[in-house]
Amino acid sequence: MNILDIAKLGGREIKRLKDIVSVLARYGFGEAFRHLPLPGKFILPGTHKEIASHSPEERLRMALEELGTTYIKLGQFASTRPDIVPSNYIKQLTLLQDSVTPAPLDEVEEIFKKDLGDNWKEKFITFFEDPIASASIAQVYKARTLEGETVALKVLRPGVREKVKSDIKIITMLALFLEEKIPDAAEFQVLRLVNEFTTTLKRELDFKREAIILNAIKENHKDMKEVVIPSVKKDLCSENILAMDFIEGLPLNKAVMTRTEKKKTALLGIKTFFRQALRDGLFHADPHPGNILYTSDGKISYLDFGMIGRLSFTMRKQLIDLLLALHASKPELVLQEMLSIGEFREELDRESLIRDIMEITDRYIKVPISEMSVGKAAMSVAEIMKKYKLTVNPVYALVARALSMAEETGRALDPDINPFSTLEPELRKVYLERFEPRNLIMSWRLTGKSFGRFITELPYHLGQILKKLKTGQLEIEFRHVGLEGLIKTLDKLSNRLTFGIIIAALIVGSSLVIQIDKGPMLYDIPLLGFAGFIIASIMGVWLLWSIIRSGRL
């Protein structure tokens, strides 16, 4: 990235970029942006001693909190990717809170007028002007309709789309710069993470999509009387407003329950998540206690459907097989399932990977019930994927994180809960469903179609290959893997050799000039020859010093 790329930003965006880099520098990350080609005079601030005493992951969390809305969202999104982000950073990023001071009603009212009309208040018997919840993207109001129904109105905060669009442009630019300049950034796939975050954030801003998902989840839970999913009020919905039933209740972490009620609710929460992910393939990806309500009649209801995960039929099959292999403590089977869901970017050390899988089963599966953790086992598998550079669909990391969160929520209510006792029957049930006639027929049809397409297209592709072979256009690409270090060493060696030849040439040339004894003189020595010796000496000392510093004298 160069100054021309930054020049494409507007004046406000450049100022914002400088502010962002300044904040990151104050929290100890300035070195990464030292060579960022910012226009005008710009000096990176240093890191305060008090801030420097914190760990890097704590400083990153603190920096994101100071940068605000989009960056908090970025940190929260990064916490869902244990396959890319180190576990110590994930622990800190999960602490990021997305709660802000509500926007004034007169600003929000402009959105109501635009989407529901100037007489929007006439659509309600009562409209409570104080929001019941406020986050960085939206805030929620309570109202009573003309039909007497109590509804929750989720309204997009004024100007948030424009702000997010500007921030995304800057974040993408910084990610490009980091991947160009810092090898570790490319290793952590920073640009890929930012691109996925951009897609996720755009979906979260799409209230029409959220309404469709809410309807689908309600349909999936129609036979679960213990789970309440709010109905969408279509006539009050728009691009910027999502209206739904208002569910009376308290968040799980604030609800007062008896021990029996806690056990029942913990079991219901975990069972509901397993059903969403493994049977329906559409799951709430942020099931922390604040996002689950406990109603007065002992039911649970979910809040905030902005973060949702989807699993296809094939992906659910693969996930079930992986969880069954983990539960059976079969490392070879776990490896086999990992190979089926992803692709390793480097040559695989199978024995080392199997040892790491055995470590997971020993730590989280073959232990007393109170210490069992399917969520931590799933998160550890995601971390192994990162360690061994296994590229997988990001939804697998999302489901691992959501599974871990659902289990932690359950354990907060009932520390003695055995997640595997809940998981195993659900796994077996869904596993056996694949052998039902309708699922077998669907599977055979998909396989038949794929095979038929392959047979149909095979002659054409063979013809294309033979045609290119005949005309000499067939190209085979070879890529050398792991030679970067050798190339770098050879490059450094050739530079030093060239440097040495130049020094030798200066010494020989200067000696010849001195022998001629003509031209400007300094202490009876030709000035040109004297200058040549001085330059050769400086270059020689610099070359010797660089060799000593490299430790390869």
Side-chain angles (χ1 to χ4, degrees):
M1 187 177 72
N2 53 45
I3 191 70
L4 294 176
D5 295 316
I6 292 180
K8 294 175 185 175
L9 298 174
R12 287 184 180 180
E13 289 172 336
I14 290 175
K15 183 180 182 303
R16 177 61 173 155
L17 176 59
K18 289 182 177 181
D19 291 342
I20 291 165
V21 174
S22 293
V23 170
L24 291 170
R26 280 196 289 106
Y27 284 94
F29 303 102
E31 193 60 35
F33 302 99
R34 189 163 298 281
H35 300 294
L36 185 67
L38 290 167
K41 291 183 178 179
F42 181 71
I43 300 172
L44 283 172
T47 307
H48 196 276
K49 285 184 179 179
E50 189 176 319
I51 293 174
S53 64
H54 292 275
S55 66
E57 49 270 28
E58 286 175 322
R59 286 188 275 114
L60 178 61
R61 174 182 56 78
M62 292 158 68
L64 293 175
E65 285 174 338
E66 185 170 330
L67 288 171
T69 304
T70 311
Y71 300 86
I72 289 173
K73 285 283 182 188
L74 177 60
Q76 290 174 330
F77 175 77
S79 73
T80 69
R81 298 302 308 274
D83 58 321
I84 292 179
V85 182
S87 58
N88 53 329
Y89 279 87
I90 285 178
K91 286 176 185 176
Q92 282 296 318
L93 295 176
T94 52
L95 300 176
L96 289 167
Q97 297 296 313
D98 184 25
S99 57
V100 295
T101 304
L105 180 60
D106 57 344
E107 292 181 17
V108 179
E109 192 170 8
E110 293 303 314
I111 293 176
F112 279 117
K113 287 180 179 179
K114 178 187 171 187
D115 290 20
L116 300 181
D118 290 337
N119 60 342
W120 66 275
K121 279 193 176 181
E122 294 179 10
K123 295 178 183 290
F124 307 101
I125 297 173
T126 311
F127 179 85
F128 298 90
E129 296 189 351
D130 291 328
I132 57 175
S134 178
S136 57
I137 283 179
Q139 49 198 57
V140 184
Y141 292 89
K142 182 181 176 182
R144 191 167 290 114
T145 66
L146 299 177
E147 294 76 24
E149 295 178 316
T150 305
V151 295
L153 300 167
K154 183 177 178 181
V155 188
L156 200 70
R157 289 175 72 94
V160 74
R161 280 199 176 91
E162 294 73 20
K163 188 176 187 304
V164 165
K165 185 179 178 182
S166 175
D167 280 344
I168 287 296
K169 191 189 292 186
I170 294 170
I171 291 171
T172 304
M173 189 168 284
L174 289 174
L176 278 167
F177 173 78
L178 289 173
E179 287 218 346
E180 284 176 8
K181 302 296 182 183
I182 302 175
D184 284 348
E187 181 70 23
F188 289 141
Q189 305 175 69
V190 173
L191 187 58
R192 177 188 169 192
L193 192 70
V194 167
N195 288 337
E196 290 173 4
F197 166 67
T198 302
T199 302
T200 301
L201 195 53
K202 284 179 180 176
R203 287 174 180 167
E204 202 167 333
L205 291 168
D206 187 351
F207 283 4
K208 289 182 178 179
R209 173 183 174 272
E210 188 172 340
I212 292 168
I213 286 170
L214 192 51
N215 283 329
I217 290 177
K218 185 173 180 64
E219 178 66 20
N220 290 342
H221 290 75
K222 63 184 179 183
D223 61 333
M224 290 188 74
K225 300 193 183 301
E226 310 97 332
V227 180
V228 183
I229 304 297
S231 299
V232 174
K233 303 302 176 184
K234 194 173 180 181
D235 58 325
L236 294 173
C237 289
S238 68
E239 186 181 11
N240 301 304
I241 301 170
L242 176 62
M244 67 191 86
D245 288 334
F246 179 82
I247 308 297
E248 291 281 359
L250 289 171
L252 288 185
N253 53 358
K254 295 180 180 178
V256 178
M257 292 179 263
T258 65
R259 181 175 175 80
T260 303
E261 287 171 336
K262 284 183 178 181
K263 282 181 172 290
K264 179 186 171 185
T265 305
L267 193 63
L268 177 60
I270 293 177
K271 184 180 177 181
T272 303
F273 175 78
F274 288 150
R275 174 182 164 136
Q276 289 177 354
L278 302 178
R279 199 198 75 169
D280 303 332
L282 181 63
F283 61 93
H284 194 297
D286 198 21
H288 63 75
N291 270 345
I292 304 175
L293 289 182
Y294 182 74
T295 65
S296 57
D297 53 353
K299 298 177 181 179
I300 64 170
S301 179
Y302 288 86
L303 300 176
D304 191 1
F305 293 86
M307 189 177 286
I308 291 294
R310 286 184 181 274
L311 291 165
S312 67
F313 178 72
T314 302
M315 294 169 84
R316 294 200 300 275
K317 281 173 58 179
Q318 292 170 334
L319 181 62
I320 288 165
D321 290 340
L322 178 61
L323 290 172
L324 284 172
L326 270 173
H327 184 228
S329 299
K330 302 286 186 184
E332 291 80 5
L333 275 179
V334 174
L335 174 57
Q336 187 177 325
E337 297 307 326
M338 288 173 69
L339 290 169
S340 72
I341 66 173
E343 183 180 339
F344 288 92
R345 301 195 301 274
E346 291 185 1
E347 189 176 348
L348 178 63
D349 183 350
R350 295 177 69 93
E351 293 303 317
S352 177
L353 177 52
I354 286 174
R355 282 197 300 272
D356 283 346
I357 294 170
M358 290 171 68
E359 178 102 12
I360 292 172
T361 57
D362 289 346
R363 189 169 181 180
Y364 299 117
I365 312 297
K366 299 177 180 178
V367 289
I369 290 174
S370 60
E371 297 175 26
M372 278 187 179
S373 176
V374 61
K376 288 180 180 178
M379 286 287 281
S380 298
V381 169
E383 289 172 16
I384 280 181
M385 290 175 179
K386 173 184 175 295
K387 178 180 176 181
Y388 290 92
K389 296 181 172 58
L390 176 67
T391 302
V392 296
N393 189 308
V395 75
Y396 287 111
L398 186 64
V399 77
R401 184 249 191 186
L403 174 56
S404 178
M405 191 176 289
E407 185 183 303
E408 286 176 11
T409 300
R411 283 199 187 278
L413 295 171
D414 179 13
D416 299 324
I417 193 169
N418 179 4
F420 276 107
S421 67
T422 311
L423 172 63
E424 188 176 13
E426 199 69 29
L427 282 175
R428 299 289 176 191
K429 182 181 175 182
V430 180
Y431 179 80
L432 291 173
E433 278 180 4
R434 71 177 65 170
F435 299 107
E436 291 179 0
R438 59 187 177 88
N439 289 328
L440 285 174
I441 290 169
M442 184 178 75
S443 181
W444 292 338
R445 282 178 63 187
L446 289 173
T447 304
K449 281 184 179 180
S450 298
F451 186 70
R453 192 180 297 115
F454 170 74
I455 293 297
T456 305
E457 294 176 357
L458 183 61
Y460 170 76
H461 290 302
L462 283 175
Q464 289 293 101
I465 292 171
L466 291 172
K467 184 179 177 181
K468 287 185 177 182
L469 188 62
K470 185 178 178 181
T471 57
Q473 294 178 335
L474 187 66
E475 295 180 357
I476 298 174
E477 182 183 354
F478 289 96
R479 285 191 299 168
H480 295 289
V481 180
L483 293 180
E484 293 81 3
L486 177 61
I487 292 168
K488 196 172 181 180
T489 302
L490 289 173
D491 188 43
K492 193 180 289 186
L493 182 64
S494 62
N495 287 341
R496 287 179 178 173
L497 186 61
T498 304
F499 215 67
I501 291 170
I502 292 170
I503 293 170
L506 279 171
I507 293 171
V508 172
S510 299
S511 300
L512 292 174
V513 170
I514 288 174
Q515 292 297 322
I516 294 171
D517 203 24
K518 289 184 179 180
M521 307 293 281
L522 181 67
Y523 300 112
D524 296 328
I525 300 172
L527 184 60
L528 195 59
F530 184 76
F533 277 122
I534 294 296
I535 294 169
S537 300
I538 292 170
M539 291 175 70
V541 170
W542 187 88
L543 178 61
L544 183 62
W545 174 244
S546 68
I547 293 170
I548 292 170
R549 279 184 63 192
S550 70
R552 293 186 176 90
L553 188 61

